[in-house]
């Protein structure tokens, strides 16, 4: 493979073809079904899928088949099949649904307003994960431009990932004969520690969520009259949360939420910490003088990848400050989001969490816990020698630096499912969500040079995969 030719081709196609289409994609408010229950009626998801499908069909790839698969009552799925000249099958994954607006964007930016500013393309969904379908197919096309053989490739682009991928298993089952048994899975929906080298995700945390509600009164009363007699619903909720989390350290207390950290993952975290240094926490917008949980980068990496953590992501029963009076509120409701290490059974945690919070309630308050999302974490299987060598060579050729291995703190729900469905497959999980990219938050952006280099890396991986086949065309 001529790397110079590869990079020139990919760069040109990104600038003239992909970036303009991504800007069109960003304009579409195709929020995930969890955030837009009327997604089908509103038509934004359909517009995003058709945009991606039309671009795929416009690519000069002989023998390619592009289909928008549909199952009744479920979000659509874009399926692209490209025949190959080598044994095996490569499955490339991405998604088109987006998170909602979330937070105050910079004055000149907005979630549905694409803004190209230097190397950054701002707007919701460009980096998470709209670019994936374009980068994946361009990588295949780049191989064909140089006459380099590849195995059969299947692009699986769903529209339900940000809601937990609950539609995807139904499509995997319905399309099982067409998918076959891929022996390499490439997912471009993850993060990168910096924009200087290829980052491989070795694990993902699981997650459970639920709503804890504490009610002590049927209606609000004067705080001067009732305080000291009626316990605060907020304090009761705080006591219940102390069963789960040490409020001083943030440690999650129940043993059923924790697992031993494997020695190889500790070693990888140490190496990643040496690469990243203090940038592992400096990349976040701390208030002036505020500190992270630790100043040891390796410990912070392990915290966000192999240790559980609790976030309260929403609340009800709390009026806005402008409306707050001298009232002892009748109830407090909190949305709990608990990140879990790989190897932990998320469904079991959610079941035991209910018992932990509801047993022996203080003051016999009325307490409920309504379960929400549940998603298992995932740990990558050991890399085959050829793939480990290919990853390092791709990173050196396309970035000029070694590849780095690190777990991610987020959840990609379908990964555990694919790991079970395709136990013999090798997995390459990577992405462009690096420092300040801020997926799910305000001012999300795609770092375009990294996306270009990653596209080149994917092309090299697919080519090296074909070279493992004794029947690969010469």
């Amino acid at each position: 493979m001529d790397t110079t030719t590869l990079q020139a081709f990919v760069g040109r196609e990104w600038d003239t073809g992909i970036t303009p289409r991504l800007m069109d994609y960003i304009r579409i408010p195709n929020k995930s079904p969890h955030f837009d229950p009327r997604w089908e009626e509103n038509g934004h998801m359909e517009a995003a899928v058709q945009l991606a499908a039309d671009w795929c069909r416009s690519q000069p790839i002989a023998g390619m088949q592009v289909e928008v698969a549909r199952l009744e009552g479920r979000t659509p799925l874009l399926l692209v099949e490209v025949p190959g000249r080598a044994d095996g099958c490569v499955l490339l994954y991405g998604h088109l649904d987006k998170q909602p607006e979330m937070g105050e964007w910079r004055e000149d930016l907005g979630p549905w307003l694409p803004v190209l500013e230097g190397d950054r393309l701002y707007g919701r969904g460009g980096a998470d994960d709209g670019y994936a379908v374009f980068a994946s197919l361009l990588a295949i096309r780049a191989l064909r431009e140089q006459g380099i053989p590849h195995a059969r490739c299947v692009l699986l682009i769903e529209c339900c990932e940000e809601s937990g991928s609950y539609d995807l298993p139904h499509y995997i089952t319905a399309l099982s004969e067409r998918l076959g048994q891929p022996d390499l899975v490439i997912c471009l929906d993850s993060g990168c520690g910096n924009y200087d080298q290829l980052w491989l995700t070795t694990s993902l945390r699981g997650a459970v969520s639920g709503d804890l509600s504490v009610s002590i009164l049927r209606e609000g009363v004067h705080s001067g009259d009732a305080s000291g007699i009626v316990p605060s619903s907020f304090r009761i909720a705080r006591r219940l949360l102390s069963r789960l989390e040490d409020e001083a350290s943030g440690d999650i207390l129940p043993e059923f939420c924790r697992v031993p950290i494997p020695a190889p993952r500790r070693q990888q975290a140490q190496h990643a910490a040496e690469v990243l240094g203090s940038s592992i926490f400096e990349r976040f917008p701390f208030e002036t003088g505020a500190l992270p949980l630790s100043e040891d980068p390796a410990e912070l990496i392990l915290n966000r990848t192999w240790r559980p953590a609790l976030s309260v992501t929403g609340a009800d029963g709390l009026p806005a400050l402008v409306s707050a009076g001298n009232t002892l509120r009748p109830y407090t409701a909190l949305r709990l989001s608990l990140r879990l290490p790989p190897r932990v059974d998320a469904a079991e945690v959610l079941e035991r969490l209910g018992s932990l919070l509801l047993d022996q309630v203080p003051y016999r308050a009325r307490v409920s816990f309504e379960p929400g999302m549940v998603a298992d974490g995932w740990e990558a299987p050991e890399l085959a020698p050829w793939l480990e060598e290919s990853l390092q060579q791709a990173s050196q050729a396309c970035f000029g630096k070694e590849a780095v291995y690190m777990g991610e703190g987020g959840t990609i729900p379908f990964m555990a499912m694919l790991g079970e469905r395709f136990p013999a497959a090798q997995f390459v999980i990577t992405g462009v969500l690096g420092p300040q990219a801020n997926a799910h938050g305000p001012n999300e952006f795609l770092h375009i040079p990294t996306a270009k280099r990653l596209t080149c890396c994917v092309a090299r991986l697919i080519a090296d995969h074909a070279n493992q086949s004794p029947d690969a065309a010469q």
Side-chain angles (χ1 to χ4, degrees):
M1 179 183 295
D2 186 324
T3 300
T4 301
T5 300
L6 171 68
Q7 292 175 325
F9 173 75
V10 167
R12 182 172 63 252
E13 290 298 318
W14 257 95
D15 290 340
T16 62
I18 293 180
T19 299
R21 299 308 288 159
L22 268 179
M23 296 179 78
D24 292 338
Y25 164 79
I26 287 170
R27 292 186 180 97
I28 304 172
N30 53 310
K31 290 183 280 191
S32 198
H34 182 75
F35 308 103
D36 182 11
R38 300 174 65 183
W39 62 268
E40 191 168 14
E41 178 183 344
N42 290 332
H44 302 308
M45 195 70 71
E46 183 68 17
V49 171
Q50 291 301 333
L51 181 150
D54 289 345
W55 181 86
C56 290
R57 294 186 183 103
S58 72
Q59 300 306 295
I61 299 177
M64 175 178 63
Q65 295 183 344
V66 179
E67 176 187 347
V68 178
R70 303 180 191 276
L71 294 175
E72 186 176 355
R74 303 199 177 277
T75 52
L77 179 138
L78 178 59
L79 180 68
V80 182
E81 299 177 78
V82 181
R85 292 192 288 143
D87 285 347
C89 176
V90 180
L91 177 66
L92 300 105
Y93 168 89
H95 69 86
L96 292 170
D97 56 315
K98 305 179 187 180
Q99 286 278 325
E101 297 82 349
M102 290 193 183
E104 295 293 328
W105 288 62
R106 207 176 73 190
E107 185 177 352
D108 57 335
L109 302 176
W112 323 124
L113 175 66
V115 174
L116 186 58
E117 188 176 277
D119 291 336
R120 299 179 174 186
L121 175 58
Y122 286 92
R124 177 67 81 229
D128 183 22
D129 182 43
Y131 86 102
V133 59
F134 302 98
S136 297
L137 199 56
L138 182 60
I140 297 169
R141 185 180 162 201
L143 295 180
R144 294 204 168 193
E145 290 288 322
Q146 293 195 37
I148 297 172
H150 60 80
R152 175 175 175 264
C153 294
V154 178
L155 276 65
L156 200 64
I157 312 298
E158 66 159 315
C159 293
C160 193
E161 194 274 342
E162 300 292 5
S163 298
S165 292
Y166 55 77
D167 284 341
L168 187 59
H170 300 274
Y171 280 105
I172 295 290
T173 298
L175 300 171
S176 59
E177 291 187 7
R178 295 172 63 179
L179 295 178
Q181 286 292 319
D183 47 7
L184 175 62
V185 176
I186 299 175
C187 168
L188 302 183
D189 190 29
S190 192
C192 53
N194 58 31
Y195 299 118
D196 302 323
Q197 53 212 122
L198 179 62
W199 288 81
L200 284 307
T201 298
T202 57
S203 64
L204 297 158
R205 283 193 294 185
V208 297
S209 68
D211 295 341
L212 174 66
S213 181
V214 176
S215 180
I216 193 68
L217 294 167
R218 293 189 300 274
E219 60 186 14
V221 295
H222 194 295
S223 61
D225 185 29
S227 59
I229 298 176
V230 178
S232 161
S233 64
F234 187 89
R235 182 169 64 85
I236 297 171
R238 186 173 62 185
R239 283 185 60 181
L240 295 175
L241 289 184
S242 293
R243 300 175 179 179
L244 176 62
E245 178 193 50
D246 183 325
E247 61 267 26
S249 66
D251 291 343
I252 300 302
L253 300 175
E255 287 291 334
F256 61 78
C257 294
R258 302 199 298 267
V259 296
I261 303 174
R265 301 309 184 200
R266 287 186 177 274
Q267 295 167 0
Q268 290 170 346
Q270 184 61 48
H271 179 236
E274 292 168 0
V275 172
L276 295 175
S278 60
S279 70
I280 190 67
F281 60 85
E282 289 175 346
R283 63 196 179 99
F284 294 106
F286 282 99
E287 292 284 1
T288 301
L291 298 173
L293 285 169
S294 168
E295 293 189 10
D296 182 338
E299 286 302 301
L300 292 177
I301 289 172
L302 292 173
N303 280 351
R304 70 183 285 270
T305 57
W306 279 90
R307 292 176 182 136
L310 176 67
S311 299
V312 176
T313 60
D316 201 359
L318 295 164
L321 294 180
V322 69
S323 303
N326 292 324
T327 302
L328 197 151
R329 299 176 298 101
Y331 77 99
T332 297
L334 303 173
R335 172 70 53 85
L336 308 183
S337 174
L338 181 63
R339 296 288 176 176
L340 298 169
R343 303 182 178 180
V344 169
D345 187 325
E348 180 182 347
V349 167
L350 190 60
E351 181 178 351
R352 298 180 70 172
L353 191 58
S355 298
L356 181 77
L357 296 172
L358 299 179
D359 287 350
Q360 298 181 340
V361 173
Y363 307 108
R364 295 172 64 181
R366 183 161 58 86
V367 176
S368 65
F369 180 72
E370 186 66 29
M373 181 192 72
V374 56
D376 284 328
W378 172 83
E379 184 180 12
E382 184 178 357
L383 291 176
W386 75 265
L387 182 54
E388 188 165 11
E389 181 180 359
S390 177
L391 290 165
Q392 290 296 340
Q393 290 179 349
S395 187
Q396 289 287 356
C398 303
F399 285 90
K401 289 187 178 181
E402 65 177 343
V404 185
Y405 301 88
M406 183 173 71
E408 281 291 334
T411 304
I412 305 179
F414 84 96
M415 281 309 311
M417 180 194 70
L418 288 188
E420 293 179 0
R421 292 289 185 106
F422 309 124
Q426 291 282 289
F427 287 83
V428 173
I429 314 302
T430 185
V432 296
L433 296 171
Q436 285 83 53
N438 213 25
H440 299 195
N443 309 328
E444 177 185 332
F445 70 80
L446 169 68
H447 189 256
I448 291 179
T450 297
K452 292 177 180 178
R453 297 186 188 109
L454 185 55
T455 303
C456 294
C457 287
V458 171
R460 293 183 64 97
L461 292 174
I462 296 174
D464 289 343
H465 167 266
N467 288 334
Q468 304 309 302
S469 168
D471 298 326
Q474 302 298 318

